[in-house]
Amino acid sequence: MTVEEELFLQQILEHRDELYRETSRLKSQLSGYQNFESERTSYQKQLSEKNQAIGQLDQTITKLKQQIEMLQRKIWGKSSEKYIPQDPQQRKLDFDGLDLLPEEKELAAGAKEEIEKYKTIRVKVQDKSHPVRKPLPESLPREETHLYPENIKPENWTELEPEITEVLERDPARWYVRRIIRHKYALKDKSQDVEKQIVTAPMPALPIAKSYAGASVLADIVIDKYVNHLPFYRQIQMFKQQGISIAPATINGWFGGVADLLRPAYYRLKELVLASGYIQSDETTIPIINNEKHKAINGYIWMIRAVTEGLVFFHYDYGSRAQKVALQLFKDYQGVIQTDGYAVYDIYENKKGVLPIGCWAHARRKFEEALKEDKARASYALEQIGLLYDVERRADAENLTDEQRAELRSRLSYPIMVAFEKWILAEYPRVLPKGRIGKALRYTYNIYHKLTRYHLDGKLKIDNNLGENAIRPIALGRKNWLFCGNHDAAENAAIMYSMLGCCKAHNVNFRDWLVFFLDNIHNYDDDYTRDLAELLPHNFKPQNQNSNIIVS
């Protein structure tokens, strides 16, 4: 047998061997499937169980979809009962998609017509005449300068009534040293049985012990920084120009001493504000130096204002704006609290004894920001909000009582609110949710129940602009003195802004009050029966009613 034949035979044997092994494997597999009927039953049972589980999951999904649809209708549906006003310049009230009942449409149109009619009646023609210059205050001292015509012989002329022109002048700040001379006496007859042979007049309590700074100097330093927004280093430069040299460390020490004197009265002010039945709250940033990061970071300072009493205090808690600060700050508060849409205040929505209300100024600001993006919708919303403010201006012009103001709001403002909210519901699905107009619509609607509550009581304000006015000095100050060096300095700033804010609210001269406070605070050191509220600005009775001179 040749070599080729041997190779061919070997290949045939190997192929037959592979076929044998494959046949054996298939026979072994087939032996495990002899009972086909039982296998089919088992698979059908498993399939039935899976179909049943899928059916249950479908029911759960359907139920969850129904719940989601219900919540969406609750948020964006047409079941709401609180709405707001309409644009004065809109030709028709039923904006495309606005779903109003005929009665609601009639009420809103009637309210709009009455508001616009009143605005037309109240329009005044502007006086284009030149303003009349007011005379200078009579309380100012007068220095006379006499001028005579040249080449006049008195025997040939009769003097007439002179012409007088008054010019306001000012001298630089006057520094002086007050020497306290305490007279001392010795008893001549030393045989007399008296406790002291030598007596000296008692030393009056100085604002800061062992300091040569008088109350007027301390008051000017504080007021120049927190009212006139002059940093300490600028004041020191001004002092040098006037011949007075004071070290920066000394100025900082004086400021800390004044803050410590004011602190107990500040805590008493806080108690009075939180005892009020109607407060406004807001927050603003204040730059703080972070020593770890070696840069200024934004902390937050809280403003709380008692509306009826006209008192305001600022609260600083290590720059935090977190909910825990609000929980601690308002934990015992009972009454109305007016805020913006910051989510921290939502926790008071269901607290017994607390009624949160919103601020229309914040809502209006959102639509103003959206003007460039969607002028048509933003303008319409601003005009609606403007109608609400027209009602408030009318109530102010007519000096309405709280009851009359509430009645006017119910008659004019509320129907417009109803129409405006339904407009929001109709327009929101048509805008981009993340666009400015979408954010404005969502912001307004999410707090709409708070925004509309002000109409219930004439004492309540439509916004917290008065509170924002109290914050404005901080915004001006941080552009000038730039930052607080640490948390303690920020807390001291909160004390200063609180006291000076109360002065401003009650039209009290800052300097007169602060000098009075520093001169009298030590009278309360040992007598704990006296109330520190007596020293607060709203109880200050200035001796000189003309001390605050305004020239215009």
Side-chain angles (χ1 to χ4, degrees), residues 82 84 92 211 252 254 455 457 534 546:
K82 36 197 179 303
I84 67 175
K92 59 179 182 179
S211 170
N252 289 325
W254 289 351
H455 84 92
D457 192 334
E534 299 170 358
N546 295 323

Side-chain angles (χ1 to χ4, degrees), residues 324-356:
K324 63 180 181 180
V325 179
L327 287 172
Q328 181 64 28
L329 192 56
F330 304 115
K331 63 178 181 179
D332 299 320
Y333 179 72
Q334 297 285 291
V336 178
I337 177 170
Q338 187 168 29
T339 67
D340 58 11
Y342 185 32
V344 158
Y345 300 107
D346 291 344
I347 57 177
Y348 296 101
E349 185 64 35
N350 298 317
K351 182 180 178 180
K352 186 177 181 181
V354 178
L355 178 67

Side-chain angles (χ1 to χ4, degrees), residues 403-532:
E403 292 75 14
Q404 291 171 334
R405 184 185 290 266
E407 189 279 330
L408 185 68
R409 289 171 173 174
S410 296
R411 183 167 58 85
L412 298 181
S413 298
Y414 193 76
I416 298 174
M417 293 181 189
V418 173
F420 186 41
E421 184 178 22
K422 290 191 174 182
W423 176 82
I424 294 175
L425 295 175
E427 293 303 310
Y428 183 75
R430 300 188 177 105
V431 302
L432 294 174
K434 294 186 178 181
R436 290 186 179 181
I437 190 65
K439 290 179 180 179
L441 291 171
R442 176 173 286 275
Y443 174 88
T444 303
Y445 190 78
N446 283 344
I447 62 170
Y448 208 86
H449 57 294
K450 298 180 184 179
L451 289 173
T452 55
R453 285 174 180 160
Y454 81 97
H455 84 92
L456 298 172
D457 192 334
K459 297 186 182 68
L460 305 181
K461 305 295 183 183
I462 190 172
D463 56 38
N464 62 356
N465 277 348
L466 293 176
E468 290 199 346
N469 288 342
I471 288 178
R472 188 167 290 115
I474 297 180
L476 293 173
R478 65 189 176 214
K479 293 180 180 179
N480 290 273
W481 41 257
L482 302 180
F483 56 83
C484 294
N486 50 47
H487 293 301
D488 291 338
E491 184 177 343
N492 290 341
I495 294 174
M496 300 302 172
Y497 280 122
S498 299
M499 296 301 178
L500 299 176
C502 289
C503 287
K504 182 179 179 181
H506 290 271
N507 197 27
V508 171
N509 182 281
F510 302 109
R511 189 177 190 273
D512 289 349
W513 172 78
L514 191 49
V515 170
F516 165 80
F517 180 91
L518 295 174
D519 283 340
N520 290 274
I521 182 60
H522 289 297
N523 297 333
Y524 292 72
D525 288 348
D526 300 321
D527 189 353
Y528 297 105
T529 62
R530 302 184 67 177
D531 189 356
L532 283 172

Side-chain angles (χ1 to χ4, degrees), residues 226-321:
Y226 291 101
V227 177
N228 301 326
H229 314 297
L230 291 175
F232 287 153
Y233 79 89
R234 292 185 193 168
Q235 295 188 47
I236 292 172
Q237 292 174 351
M238 294 170 63
F239 295 161
K240 288 182 178 179
Q241 294 174 6
Q242 298 165 7
I244 304 295
S245 180
I246 304 177
T250 302
I251 295 285
N252 289 325
W254 289 351
F255 169 71
V258 173
D260 290 338
L261 292 174
L262 289 168
R263 203 177 308 276
Y266 164 78
Y267 290 133
R268 183 70 181 104
L269 172 64
K270 178 180 178 180
E271 293 176 354
L272 294 176
V273 172
L274 293 178
S276 172
Y278 176 25
I279 63 174
Q280 296 172 333
S281 179
D282 204 353
E283 320 83 41
T284 189
T285 57
I286 185 170
I288 311 294
I289 291 295
N290 187 312
N291 292 326
E292 295 180 356
K293 297 182 178 180
H294 303 287
K295 66 177 183 179
I297 59 175
N298 275 337
Y300 282 90
I301 187 170
W302 298 64
M303 182 282 304
I304 299 90
R305 181 177 181 272
V307 180
T308 306
E309 295 81 2
L311 301 177
V312 61
F313 85 92
F314 291 86
H315 177 73
Y316 181 81
D317 191 347
Y318 293 95
S320 175
R321 196 193 183 201

